[in-house]
Structures are given as C-alpha cells and as structure tokens.
Amino acid sequence: MKTENNLAGSFRDFGLCDEILKGVEEAGFRAPSPIQQQAIPVIMEGRDVMARAQTGTGKTAAFGLPAMNAIVRTNGLKVLIITPTRELASQVSEELYRLGRFAGIKTVAVYGGQSINRQADMINRGAQVITATPGRLLDHLRSGRLKRFSPRIVVLDEGDEMLDMGFINDIESIFEYLPKERQTLLFSATIPGAIKSLARRILVNPVSIDVTPVEVTPSGIKQLYYVIQEREREEALVRLIDTESPQRALIFCRTKRETDRLSTTLISRGYSAKALHGDMTQVHRNEAIDAFRKGRVDLLIATDVAARGLDITDVSHVFNYHVPFDPDSYVHRIGRTGRAGKKGKAITLVTPLELKELRRIMKVSGEPLSYREIPSIREARKRYLSGIIKKLEDQPVREEAAEVLEELSETMEIHQIATKVLSMLLDRQKVSGPKRLGLNSQEVEQMLYMLKKQKTARSKRPSHQYGGRRRGYRR
Ligand code: ADP
Ligand code: MG
C-alpha cells in the first residue's frame, strides 16, 4: 500500500485519542494514506462523507479510526458498517478490532450462516462496532431482536459493489430502521449514477472526497497487452504463464463458469491453480483465498466480484483473460499488483474485436499500456531454461544429496546422472503449445492504424450521415 512519507501529516496530527493511536502504531502504519489524510479530519468534524477510492488504499482505517474515536469511552454509542460480502465483513471487522482493541472497543461481524440469536446477543450486550452484510442485518432489524439499536455512525462500504450485487433495495430498507440523527459515510471505488442518487437520499450535505485512480495506481506496474485470436486465448495465457513464471498471479475472468473451466484446464496442465467465485461455498472460498495468500497456490482465477476488496498483497502478476468491462474495473484489477513499492505486471489479452474497447479503457483511465508479441515456443523454451538455470544456481545443497550422488556414481557416470536429473526437472513442466501465437507487431500496428483512421474519418464527416447504428461501432 502506498503512503506519502513526505507528507507533513502523521496520524498524531488528527487528534485521535492515545489508545487508538496505539492501535495504529501496533498495526505498523507509519503515515496516513491519501484517502486517510483527506477523510479522517472531515469525519472527525462530524460531517457526512461520500468518498471514492480504489481498493487497497486504506479505506477501512479512513472511516474506522475517526468512527471509533467518536465512540471511545461513551456509554455504548455504536458504529454500523455495511459491507457487501461475508469476506469483507470479517476482514473489516478484524482490521477494526486490531486498530481499536487498546481503546477497549468490542467488534462483531454479522452475516448469514451463523446463529442469529448469538449475534443479536453480542450486539445487545455492548459490541460497539458492528460490521454486517445487508441481508443478515435486515433480518435482525425486521425480527426486532435488537434492543434500542440506534447507531451513531453508519458506514456504507464498497457502495458500487452493493449495487452490482443487487443490494440497493435492502440498503434502502435498512435505512428506514436507522435513526435520522446520525453521521453517514459512503465509500466506493466508483460512483455510478445509482450510487449518487442513493447518496442524495441517505447523506446530508456531504463532503465529497475523490482519490482518483490515476493518483494511486502504483508506478511500479508494467502494463502490457497481447493481441490474439479468440481460439488462441487459453494457449496464449499458458505461454505467458510459462515465460513470466509468476510468483503469484491473479487471473481475472468474466464469468463464474469461465473461472471454473480455466482453473480445471490449468490444473490438468500441471499448474497450481484455484478458482474463486461467488457460487462457491464460504468454506471453499476461504480455502482458496488462504491457499493463495500463503503461497500454496500460485494462480488464483477469479471474477471481479469475488476478488474485489479482498486484501491480497504481494501479487506479482495480474492477467486479464478478457478485456475488463470498463476503465474502473481495469484500474481496480491492476491495482492488485505493484503494491508497497514492489514491481508488478498487468497483462491483458485482447482479440482484434476487443482492441477498440481496450483503447477506450486506455484513454479514459490514462493508463499507459503497450503491446508485445507472444513469445514463440522457441523463445518460451529458452526463457524457461534460463529460469531453470537460475533456480539451479540458487538451489541450496542438501547433505543427503551428496550421499545419494556417491551411491549413484557407483553405477553411473557423473555426466549421465546430471543429464537424467535435469530431464526430470524439465519433465515436470514442459513448455508446449503452438509454435506461434497471436498477432505480430506489424499486424498490431496495422490494426491500430486502421482504428485511428476510422476515428478521424468519422469525426471529419458531418454527423447526419450516420443516422442509424453503424455495424460494429457501438456495443
Ligand atoms: P481498501 O478498503 O481501500 O481496499 P484496506 O482498508 O483494506 O483498503 O487496506 C489495505 C491494506 O493496507 C490493509 O492491509 C491495511 O492494514 C493496510 N493499510 C491501511 N492503511 C495503512 C497505512 N496508513 N499504512 C500502512 N498500511 C495501511
Ligand atoms: Mg475495503
């Protein structure tokens, strides 16, 4: 996560109480991130806020610190945080526990699949920070289990995600149960129209805060795209995985089915991969995330929705198996790599048909992407070999190896042993696939040239010549 060390500000300057500052210190935060810098003072003034900031920019502490500060040592004032998924609810709840524990703040995560009575008990008995998913929260509110539930501060986290997941009606109903006298904070990665109109209904005279994606896209990310034919997509991905040897990669797909299909294929081809999507059970999703986080799995194949907001750091590569839906989604996805000053790569596969869409994304987001040719099989083998050589050089020597070698050399020549061991290594994952994949640079240049020409031709002619929809121009 990127923080501005040169900013004069530090967490001390906000006027947070010492116990909360201790939590911040123990969490290892040194300087506030841009969104924290902007949001914390305004929230501490008691204003409503509508904030836009990308995933991984530190939104949880941005609302959590001032919100907890407002209820410390009060007689049971509460903060309610609404998040779209269970994962996010438990993630946010954990982070706030970590930051607020020295101030003695009790937190609880409230979502489906757990005892509803126990949850209600915890809330009634004095949990002060309640992080909930919309459905379960609404169940609680409707059932009347909550006694004098009147949160002082209400946070809507990942607003656009709520919208995408169809929770807007639930949110509207929830607000009917909440006190009019409250401070309301809305956080979202993007602010589409429906979120704006929701904001008009639930926020009073809000301060708008905008940490634009361009500012926060880490500069260490190399952004590349490859033009391929539709039927080459899978082989192209495999080839790129072979040549990039990513330490830990997120691969984005458009649908749940596609994530399943792709992970099955990759696993059958010998890669260590797992799928992550909304139809999996909670247990399976947690397993996948955990395996990826702990490095037991190298490739996590996910949909936007499933991966959103999850705090997975240290991703070396982000692959877009298709062009993302829109510029925000692109910026969002690639922000998963290149965190904390590390280098990262964002790789997008596009067909000639998708190229126009990608150019629009480049234009709107202002992100610098350049194209490359997919390495040929020869090139791929070469790179794979140099990877193995590097690994050999770095390989620590085990004592047993010397003993085994001594034994083996009774029956074989050293040279023979070495070639056999190398073959074993090479067999483990062979670089395979077609000789050539994708469009070469001449072909891509040609396509880009045509796209530019179409555009200038269009803007030169008077617009009335285009009465109807032109083939292929609009979606
Ligand atoms: P968002 O909600 O914007 O996606 P999070 O609040 O989940 O982001 O924060 C992402 C990660 O950054 C978390 O691991 C969090 O602990 C860490 N983080 C937040 N603020 C800071 C900070 N000021 N300095 C260092 N790390 C931070
Ligand atoms: Mg968040």
Side-chain angles (χ1 to χ4, degrees):
M1 111 130 271
K2 194 174 152 188
T3 53
E4 310 293 86
N5 289 320
N6 54 351
L7 270 179
S10 87
F11 280 102
R12 302 219 155 262
D13 300 337
F14 294 127
L16 298 161
C17 71
D18 287 346
E19 294 88 335
I20 298 237
L21 281 174
K22 174 128 169 65
V24 171
E25 196 178 311
E26 291 289 315
F29 297 2
R30 278 198 211 98
S33 69
I35 182 72
Q36 292 162 358
Q37 192 75 44
Q38 292 188 51
I40 294 175
V42 179
I43 299 173
M44 288 184 68
E45 274 172 30
R47 297 285 302 269
D48 280 7
V49 164
M50 174 155 95
R52 185 175 82 130
Q54 200 192 333
T55 298
T57 52
K59 292 193 285 289
T60 314
F63 60 72
L65 294 173
M68 291 194 292
N69 196 70
I71 57 163
V72 159
R73 281 182 245 120
T74 61
N75 206 354
L77 287 184
K78 289 185 198 296
V79 174
L80 171 66
I81 298 147
I82 311 169
T83 66
T85 63
R86 300 169 185 196
E87 286 93 346
L88 284 172
S90 60
Q91 199 172 294
V92 167
S93 193
E94 266 169 41
E95 171 110 347
L96 295 183
Y97 165 75
R98 195 158 67 113
L99 295 171
R101 68 197 154 124
F102 301 103
I105 288 178
K106 290 200 197 115
T107 56
V108 62
V110 168
Y111 47 76
Q114 291 183 326
S115 156
I116 195 158
N117 284 323
R118 240 201 95 208
Q119 286 176 351
D121 268 1
M122 289 185 70
I123 299 170
N124 290 333
R125 280 216 231 101
Q128 276 186 286
V129 173
I130 296 122
T131 310
T133 53
R136 178 50 72 99
L137 177 61
L138 203 51
D139 287 347
H140 277 292
L141 292 170
R142 287 193 172 133
S143 74
R145 280 187 184 85
L146 304 186
K147 301 207 180 71
R148 293 182 308 274
F149 183 68
S150 180
R152 178 67 196 69
I153 299 176
V154 178
V155 184
L156 212 57
D157 193 16
E158 307 269 346
D160 53 352
E161 192 65 9
M162 304 269 194
L163 181 69
D164 289 353
M165 294 178 71
F167 287 144
I168 288 294
N169 287 340
D170 281 358
I171 300 289
E172 304 258 355
S173 313
I174 287 169
F175 274 91
E176 283 168 22
Y177 289 91
L178 300 179
K180 294 271 169 318
E181 195 75 13
R182 57 160 203 260
Q183 183 180 6
T184 314
L185 315 171
L186 194 158
F187 280 75
S188 196
T190 60
I191 313 272
I195 290 295
K196 259 189 217 130
S197 70
L198 175 73
R200 273 196 290 275
R201 273 164 288 160
I202 62 170
L203 303 178
V204 180
N205 189 19
V207 176
S208 284
I209 295 174
D210 200 349
V211 178
T212 51
V214 185
E215 265 177 65
V216 295
T217 296
S219 52
I221 305 181
K222 194 165 181 186
Q223 304 180 48
L224 303 174
Y225 68 95
Y226 295 85
V227 186
I228 50 150
Q229 302 298 347
E230 185 58 53
R231 63 190 142 74
E232 297 175 316
R233 214 181 277 279
E234 198 176 292
E235 289 297 342
L237 178 73
V238 165
R239 177 70 46 86
L240 290 169
I241 293 174
D242 285 343
T243 47
E244 293 285 332
S245 330
Q247 247 174 7
R248 192 180 306 189
L250 259 172
I251 303 172
F252 283 99
C253 288
R254 291 185 302 193
T255 62
K256 298 166 188 169
R257 268 194 55 197
E258 199 171 63
T259 58
D260 269 338
R261 218 173 23 216
L262 188 59
S263 65
T264 310
T265 313
L266 289 175
I267 290 165
S268 74
R269 293 179 74 151
Y271 299 90
S272 121
K274 261 194 195 307
L276 179 72
H277 61 68
D279 274 359
M280 292 162 54
T281 64
Q282 185 65 24
V283 174
H284 283 135
R285 270 191 283 174
N286 283 342
E287 255 171 37
I289 294 164
D290 201 51
F292 186 63
R293 193 174 276 152
K294 302 216 170 111
R296 273 180 277 125
V297 154
D298 306 333
L299 311 171
L300 189 66
I301 300 138
T303 56
D304 278 308
V305 172
R308 203 136 182 207
L310 286 180
D311 176 28
I312 299 169
T313 43
D314 259 352
V315 172
S316 63
H317 290 69
V318 168
F319 289 93
N320 294 311
Y321 196 50
H322 290 269
V323 172
F325 295 110
D326 52 50
D328 281 331
S329 152
Y330 178 79
V331 172
H332 223 97
R333 289 179 179 187
I334 66 166
R336 297 323 196 71
T337 181
R339 296 254 191 114
K342 294 207 175 122
K343 291 222 180 327
K345 249 189 197 176
I347 289 176
T348 304
L349 295 178
V350 287
T351 61
L353 274 175
E354 290 170 333
L355 192 55
K356 184 176 287 183
E357 198 52 29
L358 184 70
R359 281 173 49 85
R360 194 178 70 84
I361 287 177
M362 285 158 69
K363 204 168 149 230
V364 176
S365 68
E367 296 292 345
L369 278 89
S370 46
Y371 72 81
R372 290 283 187 280
E373 290 180 9
I374 302 220
S376 66
I377 186 121
R378 265 188 67 186
E379 176 76 31
R381 291 216 170 101
K382 228 166 74 191
R383 286 203 214 170
Y384 181 69
L385 272 182
S386 49
I388 291 217
I389 292 169
K390 176 103 196 12
K391 268 191 199 145
L392 271 180
E393 284 171 354
D394 296 346
Q395 174 69 44
V397 173
R398 286 173 38 175
E399 250 174 68
E400 295 153 88
E403 289 166 25
V404 175
L405 180 62
E406 201 161 314
E407 227 181 290
L408 285 175
S409 51
E410 283 170 17
T411 51
M412 280 189 276
E413 297 288 333
I414 292 284
H415 182 78
Q416 201 182 6
I417 298 170
T419 40
K420 284 195 181 212
V421 171
L422 273 178
S423 311
M424 239 161 87
L425 253 178
L426 290 169
D427 267 350
R428 207 173 288 164
Q429 203 175 310
K430 274 194 220 129
V431 175
S432 62
K435 245 192 210 156
R436 299 218 144 267
L437 281 160
L439 277 62
N440 64 31
S441 48
Q442 222 176 348
E443 290 163 329
V444 177
E445 285 296 343
Q446 179 84 19
M447 292 210 49
L448 292 172
Y449 175 73
M450 293 302 285
L451 281 173
K452 266 185 214 139
K453 222 169 77 177
Q454 268 176 17
K455 215 164 137 203
T456 35
R458 243 190 324 171
S459 55
K460 267 186 199 142
R461 289 196 225 162
S463 58
H464 64 257
Q465 287 191 0
Y466 295 89
R469 283 186 155 229
R470 278 178 56 97
R471 196 165 26 106
Y473 267 147
R474 301 206 184 89
R475 302 217 296 167

PDB file of all heavy atoms in Angstrom, residues 59-60 88 92 157-158 309, ligand 2:
ATOM      1  N   LYS A  59      -9.145   2.333   2.954  1.00  0.00           N
ATOM      2  CA  LYS A  59     -10.447   2.928   3.285  1.00  0.00           C
ATOM      3  C   LYS A  59     -10.927   2.505   4.675  1.00  0.00           C
ATOM      4  O   LYS A  59     -11.534   3.294   5.384  1.00  0.00           O
ATOM      5  CB  LYS A  59     -11.491   2.539   2.229  1.00  0.00           C
ATOM      6  CG  LYS A  59     -11.219   3.184   0.874  1.00  0.00           C
ATOM      7  CD  LYS A  59     -12.411   3.060  -0.052  1.00  0.00           C
ATOM      8  CE  LYS A  59     -12.583   1.671  -0.630  1.00  0.00           C
ATOM      9  NZ  LYS A  59     -11.565   1.315  -1.624  1.00  0.00           N
ATOM     10  N   THR A  60     -10.648   1.259   5.058  1.00  0.00           N
ATOM     11  CA  THR A  60     -11.148   0.784   6.352  1.00  0.00           C
ATOM     12  C   THR A  60     -10.694   1.672   7.502  1.00  0.00           C
ATOM     13  O   THR A  60     -11.493   2.090   8.337  1.00  0.00           O
ATOM     14  CB  THR A  60     -10.679  -0.669   6.613  1.00  0.00           C
ATOM     15  OG1 THR A  60     -10.888  -1.423   5.434  1.00  0.00           O
ATOM     16  CG2 THR A  60     -11.422  -1.280   7.760  1.00  0.00           C
ATOM     17  N   LEU A  88     -15.684  -9.612   3.239  1.00  0.00           N
ATOM     18  CA  LEU A  88     -15.365  -8.230   3.560  1.00  0.00           C
ATOM     19  C   LEU A  88     -15.795  -7.899   4.972  1.00  0.00           C
ATOM     20  O   LEU A  88     -15.083  -7.198   5.695  1.00  0.00           O
ATOM     21  CB  LEU A  88     -16.031  -7.286   2.566  1.00  0.00           C
ATOM     22  CG  LEU A  88     -15.338  -7.244   1.204  1.00  0.00           C
ATOM     23  CD1 LEU A  88     -16.147  -6.450   0.204  1.00  0.00           C
ATOM     24  CD2 LEU A  88     -13.946  -6.642   1.349  1.00  0.00           C
ATOM     25  N   VAL A  92     -13.057  -6.480   7.446  1.00  0.00           N
ATOM     26  CA  VAL A  92     -13.175  -5.141   8.027  1.00  0.00           C
ATOM     27  C   VAL A  92     -13.252  -5.242   9.547  1.00  0.00           C
ATOM     28  O   VAL A  92     -12.602  -4.493  10.278  1.00  0.00           O
ATOM     29  CB  VAL A  92     -14.416  -4.404   7.459  1.00  0.00           C
ATOM     30  CG1 VAL A  92     -14.742  -3.162   8.269  1.00  0.00           C
ATOM     31  CG2 VAL A  92     -14.190  -4.046   6.000  1.00  0.00           C
ATOM     32  N   ASP A 157     -19.806   0.562   3.028  1.00  0.00           N
ATOM     33  CA  ASP A 157     -18.503   0.287   2.417  1.00  0.00           C
ATOM     34  C   ASP A 157     -18.729  -0.379   1.060  1.00  0.00           C
ATOM     35  O   ASP A 157     -19.667  -1.156   0.898  1.00  0.00           O
ATOM     36  CB  ASP A 157     -17.714  -0.639   3.352  1.00  0.00           C
ATOM     37  CG  ASP A 157     -16.246  -0.728   2.958  1.00  0.00           C
ATOM     38  OD1 ASP A 157     -15.765   0.130   2.185  1.00  0.00           O
ATOM     39  OD2 ASP A 157     -15.568  -1.661   3.428  1.00  0.00           O
ATOM     40  N   GLU A 158     -17.872  -0.099   0.099  1.00  0.00           N
ATOM     41  CA  GLU A 158     -17.987  -0.709  -1.238  1.00  0.00           C
ATOM     42  C   GLU A 158     -19.379  -0.525  -1.824  1.00  0.00           C
ATOM     43  O   GLU A 158     -20.030  -1.486  -2.239  1.00  0.00           O
ATOM     44  CB  GLU A 158     -17.662  -2.214  -1.166  1.00  0.00           C
ATOM     45  CG  GLU A 158     -16.333  -2.523  -0.506  1.00  0.00           C
ATOM     46  CD  GLU A 158     -15.182  -2.596  -1.497  1.00  0.00           C
ATOM     47  OE1 GLU A 158     -15.428  -2.668  -2.722  1.00  0.00           O
ATOM     48  OE2 GLU A 158     -14.030  -2.543  -1.051  1.00  0.00           O
ATOM     49  N   GLY A 309     -12.040  -6.047  -3.245  1.00  0.00           N
ATOM     50  CA  GLY A 309     -11.966  -5.678  -1.843  1.00  0.00           C
ATOM     51  C   GLY A 309     -11.153  -6.644  -1.005  1.00  0.00           C
ATOM     52  O   GLY A 309     -10.798  -6.338   0.114  1.00  0.00           O
TER      53      GLY A 309
HETATM   54 MG    MG B   2     -12.304  -2.015   1.876  1.00  0.00          MG
END
